[in-house]
Amino acid sequence: MTASLSHILKQQSQISDTDLEEALRIVSEKGGDLGNILIQRKIITETQLLHALSRQYDIPFWSKLPLAAIGKDFSQQVPSQFLKKHHIVPLESRQLNLMDPVSPESQADSATDIASGANGITIAINDPGNFQPMDDLARLMGIDSYHVVLATREEIVAAINLSYDYSQDSAEQLVQDMEENGSMIISAIEDTADLLDDTSEAPIIKLVNHIISQSIKARASDIHVEPYQGSFKVRYRVDGILYDLLTPPKWIQAALISRIKVMAKMNIAEKRLPQDGRMDLKIGNQEIDVRVSTIPTSFGERVVMRLLNKTSSLIDLTDLGLDREMLARVKELVTSPNGMILMTGPTGSGKTTTLYAVLSSINSPDINIITIEDPIEYQIDGISQIQVNPKIDLTFARGLRSIVRQDPDVVLVGEIRDYETAEIAIQSALTGHLVFSTLHTNDSAGAITRLVDIGIEPFLISSSVIAVAAQRLIRVLCDKCKKPHQPDESLLAAIGISTQRSREVDIYRAVGCESCFHTGYKGRIGIFELMRMNHDLKSLILKSHDANRILAESRKLKMVTLREDGIHKVLGGVTTIEEVLRVTQK
């Protein structure tokens, strides 16, 4: 089979003899699958491999699986883990055209054709050589015959998730069932609230699990449980904006909060004091770190869960939203032998994510990088990371004092909060270390004022700080539903775009569709301003630490402000005027 596959791949994908021989050598020496090795080495794509397997096995390849044909009944018979492990999913054949193998030109259209005579079940697979799971699936479903098609792993996993979504009770349905069976459910809660078994049939456990899984699916960063006098509300934050998820009846409040506290290993009896906890969850192939915070309010405990997806990869420096010129400046700055680089912005503006991307870009075996953070949000191979722990007096200042005795080349201080931390960080920058840190100020010029307010002498700031960057996160327009429009003149005037300029390029507005949960936006990107310290700015800081004067001097040096960077992204079709105004309004 290998020779046949290699012959087809050479014909279809123009693989060089050298690449093919090297892959075959790895197969012979270490074993493995030829196609997967070629994909891992980035010689071919998964789609190219599946085209070749389609020809080799005479099985149709569909680049898209039709949503209308996704089976829903099998979810009660077949565990989703089995399907995801083997990358296999059943479809309802009566809605499909199962004729000859699909040509690359027509494969997407053929997948959605309606056939009059097709019946039985179709199984979409990723590896046609692994036939045992297909037979096992047929046995679990109680079917004698089935058709087979090839599909990418991404399409198969999406189909599996969709199937199990259809079969699961909605949060509203769960709440409705609880209201109809109130007395019976209260006794069930009393019996099972302290169990951590996710397969439990206790309605409150199912409801909490559903709230968390739906929030993760919607890419939420936080879940809020907010009690009021006669009701309570569950909301989640997606791309920086809070949306209502659920408004259950008030009597469910105590049980739902108790369940969350049990999962986070918090004291469920203590309701008068704030508490912090955490839990690790696994949803499908995603590992989620959840930090839980509770505070007492007049109408019960308020809970916020911060969701951190540990399986999502670190963002690359090129994906942050920096334009070409600013990216070149950042790359130059982060290779400096010493000095301090500060990131500023409010909470949740992406400062830490940007610094992680910077550290990843310079991380190499010949550089010793040590960080002290609160909390450690991503684990990075090759970097020593320290978690702040106030309970044992491991503060930023104390940890930083120990770090400088560990011979670091690069140091990241999660946040400068006080004089002691700032002083040690600046001394480290002056003694041959490259130091990164964050400050909570509105813009880059404000960072200088903040350091002086903390108690740092201006001459130390001008000697140590080599750059200050300010950052905000703006929502990115959904590609599937955004539409060009001519904005109102008052809106153009508010952001500083001329009417003539607006007619020369497409400016888009948010619409909303299923892909973006009807918000019109999908994902976020950064807008930046970068203030590089030169001789003129350093001289000014020695005379005055007034933020307005520092900003005016930076503007003379052609610094691009947050608003101006946002305008570039509006004109580039990345976001909307309203979004830039929202995050840059003073």
Side-chain angles (χ1 to χ4, degrees), residues 110-126:
S110 299
T112 53
D113 287 345
I114 305 299
S116 56
N119 51 39
I121 291 290
T122 295
I123 298 177
I125 60 169
N126 183 257

Side-chain angles (χ1 to χ4, degrees), residues 266-283:
M266 297 160 79
N267 183 356
I268 61 171
E270 181 55 79
K271 300 178 182 179
R272 302 163 300 169
L273 293 172
Q275 291 189 66
D276 293 308
R278 64 181 298 277
M279 54 180 143
D280 290 312
L281 300 174
K282 191 166 185 181
I283 296 185

Side-chain angles (χ1 to χ4, degrees), residues 302-315:
R302 190 185 196 280
V303 181
V304 173
M305 292 183 274
R306 168 64 58 89
L307 308 174
L308 180 68
N309 193 333
K310 294 193 286 188
T311 53
S312 59
S313 57
L314 282 172
I315 294 178

Side-chain angles (χ1 to χ4, degrees), residues 23-54:
L24 288 168
R25 183 188 64 78
I26 293 170
V27 171
S28 63
E29 289 180 3
K30 300 180 181 179
D33 179 79
L34 174 64
N36 287 333
I37 288 167
L38 290 169
I39 291 172
Q40 288 166 11
R41 295 172 65 84
K42 297 185 178 177
I43 296 166
I44 62 170
T45 63
E46 183 185 13
T47 301
Q48 288 174 316
L49 174 63
L50 289 170
H51 277 308
L53 290 171
S54 172

